[in-house]
Amino acid sequence: MVKRVAIIGAGPSGLSSLKACLDEGLEPTCFESSDDIGGLWKFKEVSEPNRASIYRSLTINISKELMCYSDFPIPSDYPNYMHHSKILKYFRMYAEHFKLLQHIRFQTSVKRVQQRPDYTRTGQWEVVTETRQGEEERDVFDAVICCSGHYTYPNLPFNDFPGIETFEGKYFHSWDYKGPDNMSGKRVVVIGIGNSGSDIAVESSKFAEQVYMSTRGGAWVIRQVSDNGIPVDMKYNTRFVHILFQLLPINFFNWFGENKLNAMYDHTMYALKPKHRLFSKIPVINDDLPLKILSGAVIIKPNVKEIQGSTVVFEDGSIAEKVDTIVFATGYNYDFPFLPSNAMYKSGHRVALYKHVFPPNLEHSTLAVVGFIHALGAIMPQAEMQARWAVLVFKGKVFPGKQMSDTKDIEKHYIVSKLTPLQVDFVSYMDDIAGEIGARPSLLWLFFTDYPLFKKVLWGPVTAYQYRLMGPGKWSGARHAIFTQFDRMYQPLKTRKVTEQKPSITSRLMKMSIQVLLGGAVVFYFHTRNPETIPALLSKGVKLQSSRAGFLRLLDVSLLKRSWWRPMCCDQALQKHDNERFI
């Protein structure tokens, strides 16, 4: 029986894994090679080998309500998009509140994780660690959770850039970038158009003479500030939008989204337009890049063909002369040098992990990898969900599969390459893992039992609180957190008292009409998928009682298990019951 668990890394994934173990009564020990928690979000002036690194000005591009842990909301006065220093403070509050620090062994590196001689019988692992003083220690654990991240090993593809050895200036990977201190008056080429490359190009352009941004395939660029000033993920990362993605062809959303983005700034005119469709890869999130392009501070260029001394030649024949600095924002490689080679093998460009967590070729499911994914969403809630699942697997309460079905499924929708092998859809993945442990919110159940909450879950952002409404790890504060999530979003903006204009009756009626039409589309979709549901309910003659308990006794629960949501019942008694509850 699993009792002692080793956790490798005290970053956001390691902290959530620690808490998940403690919640289930296990005895975790976390090994952290540095002197502090935070992992990637612990800023240091000098990058340390084999550790993630960030720059001084880094601000997260996911809003606080969608990046926080599911049972510990970020303080309401914190800004919606937080600087790395605020994120680290939040981690400290989380660790102190749940008493995690006493389980962390700082300045202790994991050198090897190997199966015990009796692994076939016990599933145990021997973990070899080394302290800062060079002392080697060995200990036996019933299970291991690896939370070492995937921004540790910079990818520097020098073979793709002939003549780099002749370059007369300075070149480095974005992993080494700390700020624009040495960019003043320089001519800079940034290779790569991901989030880091865009941030570095924008920040450098404020001081540099000229910044060129080289991209192999272009990118779709979205804003953090959406309609009416709402954070873009709070606006569009909703369960209803996710349902529409299942209902309508992906090409419709590509067309709609691309047109909406081009209405703000034409990607063809700005030389940004990529070869792929909008929802085939995670887009770049940057509000400032279009303005920098428009003002000429950043010039978009195609891929670099070769480098000749201080001249950079691009594939279209154009050149950038007298270049002083080249920044390689060319992504990261990933590796687990301390894990046994037979436990980690590749499936295409991906590491072969069942649902990105469990190696499927091991006899016992006592080794888990947490936080080794990438989605259009923060890693914190995703890693927390993985950790909750892993711990329940360790305890034998749930059992993982062995098939690598998720790899092929994700390739149907996303471009999976050597440097982007970890992509998942945020809501689909969270629902999938939550379904493994019985924590996925049931819209049908909420519709019948808590209609106001049903509306918040359906129409509001998919925040992690939704996965604490039911199942193991249920949190009594989840409902309140969902109802107050927009209050926490607005709070840091209330810095000046202004007169609020009430919406007109016409606008309210239009909004209600649109909601009714869209809601009808959702009901029609689920009814066509499960046409037997409504007749089955009506044939049973469901008669609602005044008490919730009486209703639940009469409801045929076997029908609820057929799908995670079903169309609403048309019974007049149900309508009357809901109206009374709403009033």
Side-chain angles (χ1 to χ4, degrees):
M1 182 177 179
V2 171
K3 191 67 176 176
R4 303 188 67 221
V5 181
I7 299 171
I8 304 172
S13 301
L15 293 177
S16 60
S17 297
L18 263 175
K19 180 181 178 296
C21 288
L22 293 173
D23 286 347
E24 289 298 323
L26 302 181
E27 299 174 3
T29 300
C30 180
F31 299 102
E32 169 56 44
S33 60
S34 74
D35 59 356
D36 203 355
I37 63 172
L40 169 72
W41 297 100
K42 171 63 176 179
F43 173 76
K44 293 195 174 183
E45 288 290 345
V46 179
S47 301
E48 299 178 352
N50 301 326
R51 289 189 56 80
S53 176
I54 57 176
Y55 34 96
R56 197 175 297 112
S57 62
L58 179 62
T59 297
I60 195 168
N61 55 21
I62 305 297
S63 66
K64 65 178 182 180
E65 287 301 305
L66 279 102
M67 65 149 282
C68 67
Y69 294 115
S70 59
D71 55 358
F72 196 73
I74 293 173
S76 59
D77 60 335
Y78 273 40
N80 284 283
Y81 291 110
M82 297 174 3
H83 185 257
H84 63 74
S85 59
K86 289 281 189 181
I87 295 175
L88 188 61
K89 287 182 180 179
Y90 170 67
F91 289 155
R92 293 196 198 286
M93 289 188 290
Y94 180 80
E96 291 169 2
H97 179 79
F98 293 110
K99 298 177 173 59
L100 307 180
L101 296 177
Q102 64 197 50
H103 300 280
I104 303 175
R105 292 174 58 179
F106 292 105
Q107 297 185 327
T108 304
S109 302
V110 174
K111 294 302 180 182
R112 288 190 310 281
V113 176
Q114 54 198 26
Q115 296 173 351
R116 291 273 294 167
D118 57 354
Y119 171 82
T120 301
R121 180 174 58 86
T122 65
Q124 291 182 330
W125 300 85
E126 182 179 71
V127 178
V128 181
T129 60
E130 184 178 274
T131 64
R132 186 180 182 183
Q133 293 74 29
E135 298 176 357
E136 188 173 282
E137 299 178 359
R138 297 170 181 265
D139 210 340
V140 176
F141 291 91
D142 301 310
V144 176
I145 303 178
C146 176
C147 307
S148 56
H150 52 92
Y151 295 111
T152 303
Y153 306 102
N155 176 57
L156 284 166
F158 291 142
N159 291 336
D160 295 339
F161 302 98
I164 184 64
E165 69 280 357
T166 70
F167 184 59
E168 299 171 357
K170 179 182 180 182
Y171 62 86
F172 55 89
H173 193 273
S174 58
W175 179 81
D176 280 312
Y177 178 82
K178 296 299 176 182
D181 305 347
N182 299 319
M183 299 293 191
S184 181
K186 302 290 181 63
R187 295 174 65 81
V188 181
V189 173
V190 178
I191 299 177
I193 197 173
N195 286 317
S196 295
S198 300
D199 283 350
I200 292 170
V202 166
E203 186 173 50
S204 300
S205 69
K206 299 175 183 178
F207 304 93
E209 177 186 327
Q210 183 63 64
V211 174
Y212 299 89
M213 177 173 256
S214 169
T215 170
R216 187 189 304 271
W220 294 104
V221 180
I222 68 174
R223 300 185 303 176
Q224 292 170 276
V225 182
S226 183
D227 304 338
N228 302 315
I230 304 295
V232 66
D233 48 9
M234 293 281 283
K235 182 81 173 181
Y236 292 108
N237 194 10
T238 69
R239 194 165 291 280
F240 178 73
V241 170
H242 177 68
I243 291 172
L244 289 182
F245 266 86
Q246 315 306 312
L247 173 65
L248 300 175
I250 189 65
N251 284 338
F252 167 77
F253 290 100
N254 283 323
W255 169 82
F256 180 82
E258 290 166 10
N259 277 278
K260 190 172 180 64
L261 291 179
N262 284 326
M264 292 184 285
Y265 32 84
D266 190 314
H267 281 59
T268 300
M269 183 174 69
Y270 279 63
L272 289 167
K273 185 178 179 180
K275 302 173 183 177
H276 61 267
R277 303 303 300 273
L278 174 58
F279 292 105
S280 295
K281 288 180 70 175
I282 294 177
V284 172
I285 305 176
N286 197 299
D287 291 50
D288 300 323
L289 181 59
L291 176 60
K292 291 299 181 180
I293 295 172
L294 195 61
S295 64
V298 175
I299 297 175
I300 304 298
K301 286 290 185 180
N303 195 40
V304 172
K305 180 181 179 181
E306 62 177 331
I307 299 168
Q308 301 172 353
S310 61
T311 299
V312 175
V313 182
F314 300 101
E315 287 185 343
D316 62 355
S318 61
I319 61 174
E321 297 181 303
K322 299 180 180 178
V323 175
D324 302 289
T325 305
I326 298 177
V327 182
F328 287 91
T330 45
Y332 292 82
N333 298 312
Y334 55 88
D335 193 16
F336 303 92
F338 43 81
L339 294 181
S341 58
N342 66 327
M344 309 295 288
Y345 67 93
K346 287 188 177 181
S347 173
H349 293 300
R350 293 169 177 257
V351 170
L353 297 170
Y354 177 69
K355 296 187 186 295
H356 304 282
V357 177
F358 289 101
N361 59 324
L362 294 181
E363 185 176 352
H364 297 280
S365 297
T366 54
L367 172 63
V369 179
V370 168
F372 192 59
I373 51 174
H374 187 205
L376 189 56
I379 191 62
M380 296 76 170
Q382 297 174 88
E384 180 188 43
M385 183 58 68
Q386 289 179 323
R388 291 170 64 187
W389 178 40
V391 169
L392 291 179
V393 169
F394 293 162
K395 294 201 71 176
K397 293 184 177 181
V398 295
F399 300 93
K402 297 292 184 180
Q403 299 299 319
M404 298 301 299
S405 57
D406 61 314
T407 299
K408 291 183 179 180
D409 289 343
I410 206 70
E411 288 176 347
K412 294 177 183 177
H413 305 290
Y414 296 106
I415 296 174
V416 179
S417 65
K418 177 182 177 183
L419 295 179
T420 58
L422 311 174
Q423 191 159 336
V424 297
D425 177 78
F426 180 82
V427 180
S428 296
Y429 186 74
M430 290 286 285
D431 278 354
D432 186 20
I433 303 303
E436 293 281 345
I437 65 174
R440 183 172 63 191
S442 169
L443 286 178
L444 181 60
W445 185 268
L446 293 176
F447 179 82
F448 286 136
T449 60
D450 193 338
Y451 184 69
L453 179 59
F454 161 81
K455 292 195 297 182
K456 294 289 184 181
V457 172
L458 176 64
W459 298 102
V462 185
T463 48
Y465 318 127
Q466 295 187 8
Y467 300 99
R468 291 285 184 179
L469 290 171
M470 53 190 64
K474 180 180 178 180
W475 176 44
S476 60
R479 186 181 189 276
H480 178 73
I482 292 172
F483 272 83
T484 56
Q485 56 196 4
F486 274 95
D487 294 335
R488 288 188 296 278
M489 187 209 78
Y490 289 125
Q491 184 59 39
L493 302 175
K494 295 180 178 180
T495 56
R496 172 176 168 264
K497 189 174 182 179
V498 294
T499 303
E500 187 174 352
Q501 185 176 0
K502 295 183 179 180
S504 64
I505 296 177
T506 303
S507 65
R508 282 183 287 178
L509 287 175
M510 289 182 64
K511 184 177 180 180
M512 290 174 60
S513 301
I514 292 172
Q515 288 179 339
V516 169
L517 289 172
L518 293 176
V522 173
V523 171
F524 175 76
Y525 167 63
F526 284 106
H527 177 58
T528 54
R529 290 182 64 187
N530 304 276
E532 78 283 359
T533 303
I534 290 179
L537 284 174
L538 294 177
S539 67
K540 286 185 176 293
V542 177
K543 302 296 183 181
L544 294 174
Q545 297 181 4
S546 58
S547 68
R548 180 182 303 175
F551 167 72
L552 294 178
R553 282 196 299 270
L554 290 175
L555 187 63
D556 185 358
V557 179
S558 65
L559 290 174
L560 300 182
K561 296 180 180 179
R562 293 287 300 266
S563 176
W564 66 276
W565 198 66
R566 290 290 189 272
M568 64 186 69
C569 179
C570 300
D571 193 282
Q572 292 181 354
L574 174 60
Q575 184 178 4
K576 180 180 178 182
H577 174 74
D578 283 339
N579 289 338
E580 290 175 352
R581 291 182 66 257
F582 182 74
I583 294 171

